[in-house]
Amino acid sequence: MKTFIYTLILFICGLSLGHAQSTFKGSVSGKIIDKTGKAVEFATVMVLKSKDSTLVKGGVADADGNFEIEGIAEGRYLVATTQVGFAKKLTPPFILNAESPKVKLAALIMDPVSQELKEVKVAAAKPFIEQQIDKTVVNVENSIVAAGNNALEVLERSPGVTVDRDGNISLKGKAQVRVMIDGKPTYLSSEDLANLLRNTQANQLEKIEIMTNPSSKYDAAGNAGIINIRTKKNQNMGMNGSATLGVGYGLNPKGNASLNLNYRKDKWNVYGNYSGGARKNWRDQRITRRFREGEEVTALFEQSAENITRNHNNNVKLGADYFASKKTTIGAIVNTNTGSWGSTGDNITKIYQGTSTLEKITTTGQDFKNTWKSLTTNLNLKHTIDSTGKELTADVDYARYDNRSDQKYKITTVNPAGVNLAIPRFDMGNTKGIVDIYSAKIDYTHPLSKNSKLEAGLKTALVTTNNNMKFTIEQGDVARLDSGRTNQFIYRETINAAYLNYSTQIKKTSIQLGLRGEQTVMKGNQVTSDTSFRRNYLNLFPSVFIRQELNKKNSLGMSYSYRIDRPDYEDLNPFLYFLDLYTYQQGNPYLRPQFSHVAEVTHSFMGFINTTLNYGRSNGIITEVLRQNDAARTTYINKENFGFRENYGVAVSANIPITKKWMSINYINVNRNRFVGLLNGGEFDGRIVTTTFNTQNQFTLPNNWSAEISGFYMSGFLEGTIKGKPMWQVSLGLQKQFWEKKASLKLNVRDIFWTQQFRGSFVFGNVDMQISNKWENRVANLTFSYRFGNSKVQASRRRSTGLESEAGRVNQGSN
């Protein structure tokens, strides 16, 4: 299989090189500015045929507004440029031929959006995956396979992203990824983030931005980088919106609906959206554990758990922007999320003496119900000080997360003949968790010259969590409080940060230097046991970025940053969570942050073959560790600071137009991971090379039909200290557009061969365990979407709020 993948990617790259050489004939370049002469940064540039405005080739201007589009055949063209806040700009037609192979346009002056220009229809869509200067962009709204699926399922198809059996997200083999939505952190633990993304429909998403090595402007948390999920925003004047209705079926039914509205008039822009969904899912998990004395197996545990889960969620987002003047904009955002999650099923454990003599069977009947609600608010200000580019932005945020959980267990133990060995036992628990987050930040941009600028900012964030768990045990007529699982944990954390970022361009070399300082003050208090701890530490986080344009076809970039990962709030909570009498998980209030060195070298050829070499080392990594009590025959999982992790790898992406009607987007990543640390009385040294291959193939068919086939393969991998076996899947999609392309009907089948399932093992010291996990992954979805309203409204502003470093660290919901 590996040989086939290597051969395929070499063949793809060969096709790409041949295609590039055969079509290159001429180029067009220029500079994009506004009325004041200030460069319009990162504007989209499109070369169109002057005859019918068909898109020939596109690109993105740099930070100084300069662009050059190469590889254009002989003909007559014009250039269109677009950018948020500006009206579309068109140039007069020009000719590329042997006498004039290179055209340099006069400065393109873009007008503010209030001055509308005649609309130009572009007969092309964005590719599913785009490689931009500082990030990789996945255009979700152009994917047929994404229809009817959720955001977590779309992430699985994104370059370098993997999602494990529990929904934990990794980027290029590294965990601790920070996930934001519209520039705003989700504030959830890994489990609860997965639950949120499962309940977020893909039709609500516009694109996913993947930043593997963020600059000092961003919070230092997250050695794996940042994934920013951008939701759809309407772009029309007056009233407009879209509505979506979807149904799906695998083994159980699923449904979702959404409504987006946007209204813009004069100085106001008001927008809002609602999305809701209901899903019923099946899951099967099997665990085999062996207990030994020397080489002899003294006991064998075979656990099987089959569960049915039901999810319901409702999300409402309201926002407004007020354009007080040409220089000042004030905005506000309110977002609420409510939902429930329930699970029922039996966990059956067969216990053997040795490997073949059945001793007893324990059945743990589970009935869980979890409800959550959240409220996040943001006030923001953007002020342009003068025409030189001096700019001030500010954000004030508040978020509250309220999570309630009821757990019921019925535990029975019988002998091989089915006779009760003990009176049935009932365990009942109630957990309440509240998280409050306050944040404020201010950022300032100061141009030093035409090609250089200085950015600076301050931020402070205060987080308080209050978790209270109460468990009771009833057996016969006796009821008692379970002191081992009853606890109250209060946690308070303050993070103060400041950064300075300098960027300049010297001819064809771009340089960015940054330094960020973060002070963390924290206090934890276990009320029930009357124990507490305090910590106070200050760290500096440098970053360096260098990009060199080698020639017209090749560019080279290098980056380095030093980063931190603080423990999730849920991981600091010392509560016990049971699967059954023999398997449980426990938090660790004494976890310390992990620190990472991250370096990358990137090369881009003609903008469609991108190669990245990456290296990272994290010390004191926060990871799940399996431990076993041989006397009690229990296995438990908790998070610990474990030695170090080292990883390095190479990734190649290639966007290849096989024919005019067939676009193939391919990505391969070969990554070597190594985990080293003390574990179960010995030194654990786990290492593995993992190959991941993603492919997306989009086909344009007659009469507004289109199709898509996608899939991925991942070889064996390490998930902390657990070794996973290879997995793969293939998905198909078909779409029909009608009503002047305002409506679409999409049908897709995800994981048609039902091959994506987790199989793993951990054998080290006294632990010998195998795990298999299969879930309802093969699902057919039918989705109807309709866009309505005026087609000339500017998009509502996108806000990167002040809630960043705390991303992924709050508990809300469960799954």
Side-chain angles (χ1 to χ4, degrees), residues 276-490:
R279 297 169 68 91
K280 182 180 179 182
N281 294 288
W282 168 89
R283 182 173 180 173
D284 181 81
Q285 179 173 277
R286 298 179 185 272
I287 302 175
T288 301
R289 295 183 290 149
R290 293 176 175 85
F291 295 84
R292 303 176 185 272
E293 289 183 4
E295 296 297 323
E296 180 185 359
V297 177
T298 58
L300 174 68
F301 280 43
E302 290 183 346
Q303 295 172 259
S304 61
E306 188 171 346
N307 298 86
I308 294 294
T309 61
R310 293 173 175 85
N311 296 67
H312 301 271
N313 75 290
N314 295 278
N315 183 276
V316 177
K317 181 178 182 179
L318 300 174
D321 292 323
Y322 175 66
F323 305 94
S325 68
K326 292 182 179 180
K327 294 184 177 182
T328 305
T329 303
I330 303 170
I333 302 170
V334 178
N335 191 80
T336 65
N337 185 284
T338 60
S340 65
W341 170 86
S343 175
T344 57
D346 290 331
N347 182 65
I348 301 172
T349 303
K350 295 181 178 180
I351 302 174
Y352 295 84
Q353 293 180 359
T355 59
S356 58
T357 303
L358 182 61
E359 178 183 336
K360 56 185 176 181
I361 302 172
T362 297
T363 301
T364 303
Q366 300 174 343
D367 186 356
F368 298 161
K369 185 175 181 181
N370 187 301
T371 59
W372 68 87
K373 56 185 177 181
S374 67
L375 172 68
T376 58
T377 60
N378 167 259
L379 293 175
N380 56 79
L381 169 72
K382 179 180 178 181
H383 177 66
T384 302
I385 298 173
D386 58 31
S387 61
T388 65
K390 296 177 183 177
E391 186 177 271
L392 187 71
T393 61
D395 289 89
V396 177
D397 298 87
Y398 169 71
R400 183 180 180 89
Y401 298 86
D402 191 337
N403 178 38
R404 309 293 170 112
S405 176
D406 292 304
Q407 307 161 45
K408 297 180 181 178
Y409 302 86
K410 179 182 179 181
I411 303 168
T412 59
T413 303
V414 300
N415 64 19
V419 178
N420 282 329
L421 296 177
I423 299 174
R425 169 177 157 179
F426 296 87
D427 290 19
M428 291 168 286
N430 176 269
T431 305
K432 299 178 182 180
I434 295 177
V435 180
D436 290 293
I437 302 173
Y438 305 84
S439 174
K441 73 167 187 172
I442 186 169
D443 298 277
Y444 174 67
T445 302
H446 185 91
L448 299 175
S449 66
K450 180 181 178 181
N451 296 320
S452 63
K453 64 180 178 180
L454 191 65
E455 298 169 290
L458 298 171
K459 177 187 172 183
T460 184
L462 169 65
V463 180
T464 61
T465 72
N466 189 339
N467 292 278
N468 199 341
M469 174 181 278
K470 182 179 180 181
F471 250 94
T472 58
I473 298 175
E474 293 182 3
Q475 197 164 16
D477 296 328
V478 179
R480 61 183 174 86
L481 185 71
D482 185 352
S483 58
R485 283 185 282 180
T486 297
N487 198 358
Q488 183 180 6
F489 180 65
I490 299 175

Side-chain angles (χ1 to χ4, degrees), residues 11 47 134 200 243 320 480 555 610 675 735 789:
F11 172 71
V47 179
D134 57 346
T200 300
R480 61 183 174 86
S555 63
N610 300 281
F675 290 80
Q735 173 181 264

Side-chain angles (χ1 to χ4, degrees), residues 49 178 186 245-246 448 596 666-667 693 740 809:
K49 289 183 179 180
R178 296 302 176 193
T186 49
L245 181 65
L448 299 175
S596 304
N666 302 275
Y667 174 86
F693 176 64
E740 297 181 345
R809 299 181 62 209

Side-chain angles (χ1 to χ4, degrees), residues 180 197 439 533 569 765:
M180 298 191 292
L197 296 179
S439 174
F533 61 89
Y569 305 131

Side-chain angles (χ1 to χ4, degrees), residues 174-178 180 211-227 516 518 539-545 559-566 593-600 615-619 804-805:
K174 295 183 288 186
Q176 305 297 329
V177 182
R178 296 302 176 193
M180 298 191 292
M211 294 168 276
T212 55
N213 204 2
S215 71
S216 296
K217 283 187 65 175
Y218 294 91
D219 293 304
N223 80 88
I226 293 173
I227 295 176
R516 186 178 187 90
E518 293 188 354
N539 304 102
L540 297 178
F541 303 96
S543 63
V544 179
F545 296 82
S559 64
Y560 164 80
S561 66
Y562 183 55
R563 308 193 66 78
I564 186 174
D565 284 289
R566 299 178 181 88
Q594 69 180 39
F595 295 91
S596 304
H597 299 274
V598 182
E600 286 189 351
Y615 172 81
R617 180 185 172 104
S618 300
N619 297 312
E804 291 179 359
S805 66

Side-chain angles (χ1 to χ4, degrees), residues 141-154:
E141 61 182 343
N142 296 317
S143 173
I144 305 166
V145 172
N149 288 320
N150 58 54
L152 191 65
E153 292 165 342
V154 174

